[in-house]
Amino acid sequence: MILFQKSSASALIRAFLWLFLGCFVQFPVFSQIVSRSVVPSPLFVGDTALFRVEFNSKKPFLPEDFSGEFFLKTDFPPFLAFQNHALVRSASLSSLPPKKDSLYSYLLLLKITVWQEGSLDFPVFDAGALVQYSRGGEAAFPVQRIELSSVNVESALTRSPSISFLPHRSPLFLKGTAFVLLFFAFLLLCGTFFLILFFLRFRAFSSKWQTVFFHVRAKKNARRALKNLKKLKKTNATYSDSAFCKELQNIVRSFLEKKCAADFSALTSFEIKTKIAALFENEIESFACFFSVLYRTDAVRFSCGDFALLPDERASLLDCVSKSIFDFLKKKEDL
């Protein structure tokens, strides 16, 4: 019974000693933060700050023969957790000269753009997990908790002591701008003047233009008719009286239609004469030859041979139509 009591007392003493050591004694860790800094200071909204963290580790984060900066990935999940307030632009890890006690020294650099005004605290992240993530999860690395320095971000308006609107100033003109503006104003004024003048005389201008257009169209119509008459004169021997009269009447009808701007295809020769007499009451005598040719060709075409053409009548009909067209053409040229 006495032995059992001694054993229980010894166990309680050992448990108490372990509890005391766990509460008040720190065991050595594999790594430790040496220094932290951030530049520039003060920070304003939109600035990009350089966060510098130097730490020691008993185990390597980088190969011993590696020199220079090892660039880390910026899409590390802990970085994305605060991207609404700040954005990690770049991250790199580089080796420093070894310290005492055979510790590995490293420098972690983070370039972060801050977006939120006020005090900004960054969440703690593991540097070992960051290196492992950047190297594609090749191997496990020692745990190194990194806590960046808290920063106070000021408004961009505080950069300048003046927050009121600047006084009004007249616009600045380049050399020669006034001359160019005056020149364009003069051109605009002249253009407006000629435009008003044009509208005031629009009726006279329109009437003159219509007259010129009518003369050009009349000359074109006369030249086309004369060309067709010349062609018919060369080939009239191959036509019968009826066929010749049909071709000649087509030429005359086409000429009269374009001259009178009317459709005569469904009208008889007498109806054509009546319509032309109404349109050209004072010039009806100029159309006498055309009327006689229309009547004569109708008689030959529809008489079944009773009114055949005389030996020299074809030439006289062609000459009569040609002379009348020439007279119209000469009259237009005189105008």
Side-chain angles (χ1 to χ4, degrees):
M1 184 69 180
I2 296 174
L3 180 62
F4 177 76
Q5 290 177 352
K6 289 183 178 179
S7 299
S8 299
S10 178
L12 289 173
I13 292 172
R14 284 197 301 269
F16 176 76
L17 289 175
W18 279 110
L19 180 62
F20 175 78
L21 291 174
C23 295
F24 298 99
V25 179
Q26 277 190 327
F27 290 97
V29 295
F30 289 113
S31 57
Q32 60 182 359
I33 300 295
V34 176
S35 65
R36 297 182 302 176
S37 63
V38 56
V39 290
S41 182
L43 275 177
F44 298 93
V45 174
D47 284 350
T48 299
L50 178 63
F51 289 79
R52 176 189 174 100
V53 181
E54 184 178 345
F55 63 92
N56 296 333
S57 175
K58 287 186 176 181
K59 292 187 177 181
F61 281 81
L62 299 174
E64 295 185 5
D65 57 348
F66 181 82
S67 60
E69 289 184 288
F70 177 71
F71 291 95
L72 306 170
K73 293 183 178 180
T74 58
D75 59 346
F76 186 48
F79 292 166
L80 300 179
F82 56 82
Q83 65 180 355
N84 291 334
H85 312 295
L87 178 64
V88 180
R89 298 289 185 182
S90 64
S92 65
L93 183 67
S94 57
S95 299
L96 296 176
K99 304 293 184 180
K100 59 181 180 178
D101 301 331
S102 300
L103 295 177
Y104 296 96
S105 297
Y106 295 100
L107 177 63
L108 177 65
L109 297 177
L110 298 174
K111 288 184 178 180
I112 302 178
T113 301
V114 291
W115 303 114
Q116 183 177 353
E117 181 183 356
S119 180
L120 186 60
D121 296 321
F122 298 95
V124 179
F125 63 92
D126 180 16
L130 174 59
V131 175
Q132 183 180 11
Y133 178 79
S134 301
R135 299 184 64 172
E138 295 179 355
F141 293 88
V143 176
Q144 173 59 58
R145 297 174 71 253
I146 301 294
E147 184 177 359
L148 300 178
S149 303
S150 299
V151 293
N152 185 40
V153 183
E154 299 182 15
S155 173
L157 292 176
T158 60
R159 286 182 185 269
S160 173
S162 176
I163 59 174
S164 60
F165 289 105
L166 296 176
H168 174 73
R169 294 181 61 185
S170 301
L172 299 177
F173 291 97
L174 298 177
K175 187 178 181 180
T177 304
F179 172 77
V180 174
L181 292 177
L182 290 175
F183 177 72
F184 279 106
F186 174 75
L187 291 182
L188 181 62
L189 185 62
C190 291
T192 305
F193 172 76
F194 284 112
L195 190 62
I196 294 174
L197 184 63
F198 171 76
F199 280 110
L200 290 176
R201 304 194 49 153
F202 178 75
R203 291 185 177 180
F205 176 80
S206 177
S207 177
K208 182 66 175 178
W209 169 254
Q210 289 179 0
T211 302
V212 172
F213 178 75
F214 176 76
H215 289 172
V216 172
R217 188 176 61 179
K219 290 180 181 180
K220 185 176 180 180
N221 181 34
R223 291 191 179 98
R224 184 186 296 111
L226 291 173
K227 182 179 178 181
N228 292 333
L229 288 172
K230 186 176 181 180
K231 182 178 179 181
L232 181 60
K233 187 175 183 179
K234 290 182 178 180
T235 60
N236 76 87
T238 61
Y239 292 100
S240 63
D241 287 348
S242 178
F244 173 80
C245 290
K246 180 180 179 181
E247 291 296 326
L248 180 58
Q249 190 169 124
N250 288 338
I251 295 174
V252 173
R253 281 176 174 265
S254 176
F255 173 77
L256 294 177
E257 283 180 353
K258 291 181 174 57
K259 180 171 178 57
C260 302
D263 184 15
F264 295 154
S265 59
L267 301 182
T268 64
S269 298
F270 178 77
E271 290 173 337
I272 293 174
K273 180 180 178 181
T274 304
K275 191 164 186 177
I276 291 177
L279 293 174
F280 301 94
E281 185 177 356
N282 298 328
E283 302 179 29
I284 190 63
E285 294 181 359
S286 303
F287 295 88
C289 174
F290 298 112
F291 299 148
S292 63
V293 169
L294 291 176
Y295 291 149
R296 178 57 178 147
T297 52
D298 280 344
V300 174
R301 292 177 61 194
F302 303 112
S303 65
C304 300
D306 294 337
F307 296 96
L309 292 174
L310 299 176
D312 297 331
E313 193 172 2
R314 291 191 181 190
S316 63
L317 291 175
L318 291 172
D319 291 340
C320 178
V321 175
S322 299
K323 185 177 182 303
S324 298
I325 294 176
F326 268 120
D327 291 340
F328 278 117
L329 185 60
K330 184 178 180 180
K331 186 183 298 184
K332 297 303 178 185
E333 291 178 351
D334 293 339
L335 292 176

